[in-house]
Amino acid sequence: MSQHDHEIKVLNGLIETTIDSVDGYAEAAKDAENAQFRDLFLTRAAERRQVAARLREAVRREGGEPADDGTVLASAHRMFTGLRSSMSHGDKAVIAEVERGEDHIKAKYDEALKDDKLSLSARESIQQAYTSVRQGHDQMSAIKHAVQ
C-alpha cells in the first residue's frame, strides 16, 4: 500500500465516522425535547458536515475518491438507540447517547493523529478537523455532567 493509499484510507475512515456523527446529531435533534438542545444538535450536525467536506477535499488532493456514506455499524447503532430512546424518553438519555458518540469520534481522530505514516498535509487536515471534534466532545461531556 502506497503512502497515498494509506492516507486516503485513513481520511476516508474519518469521513465515514464524521458522517456518522452528522447522522447521530440529526437523530438526537429529532429526539430532543428541549428546543435549546435541538438547536445545539442541529448546529453540531451542520458543523460536522463542514468537517466531512474539508476531509473529502483532502482525499481529492491525495488523488482519491472520498467516502460519502457513514458506516454500516453506525446505522445499526442508530436504529438500536432510536428504539432505546423511545423506551427511555428524555433529554438526559439523548445527551448520554450523543456523548457516547462523541467519545467514539474523538477516539478515531486521536488514533489517526498518532499515525506516523501520514504526510504533513494529511496530518494538518486531520488536525483542523480534530479541533471541531474536540470542541464538540468537550461541550457534550460538560452538558452530560450538568444534567445528571
Side-chain angles (χ1 to χ4, degrees):
M1 179 182 288
S2 75
Q3 179 176 353
H4 287 293
D5 291 342
H6 176 70
E7 289 176 350
I8 291 167
K9 181 180 176 185
V10 170
L11 289 165
N12 272 332
L14 292 176
I15 290 169
E16 290 172 346
T17 301
T18 303
I19 291 170
D20 291 345
S21 177
V22 170
D23 294 344
Y25 273 119
E27 287 299 312
K30 289 178 193 174
D31 293 339
E33 295 170 352
N34 181 312
Q36 237 180 331
F37 290 141
R38 185 173 26 259
D39 292 346
L40 173 62
F41 297 153
L42 291 173
T43 298
R44 282 281 171 208
E47 182 181 330
R48 294 288 165 83
R49 275 188 208 92
Q50 293 173 348
V51 168
R54 287 191 299 270
L55 290 173
R56 284 187 187 105
E57 197 51 46
V59 169
R60 287 186 193 97
R61 281 193 305 270
E62 293 296 329
E65 185 66 33
D68 60 0
D69 276 333
T71 63
V72 173
L73 181 61
S75 295
H77 176 74
R78 279 191 303 280
M79 190 165 55
F80 173 73
T81 56
L83 175 63
R84 185 169 54 202
S85 75
S86 70
M87 297 157 108
S88 62
H89 292 289
D91 286 340
K92 195 171 175 179
V94 173
I95 291 165
E97 283 304 316
V98 168
E99 203 259 347
R100 270 182 7 128
E102 285 299 302
D103 286 345
H104 175 75
I105 192 173
K106 182 182 169 296
K108 291 290 187 180
Y109 275 81
D110 285 339
E111 182 181 327
L113 287 169
K114 291 177 187 172
D115 187 334
D116 60 359
K117 296 177 187 167
L118 295 175
S119 69
L120 182 58
S121 171
R123 184 174 304 286
E124 286 174 353
S125 295
I126 294 168
Q127 186 61 53
Q128 287 174 351
Y130 181 75
T131 300
S132 167
V133 168
R134 181 65 194 213
Q135 289 171 348
H137 173 272
D138 292 352
Q139 183 181 35
M140 291 307 124
S141 181
I143 289 171
K144 178 185 171 191
H145 294 348
V147 299
Q148 285 183 342

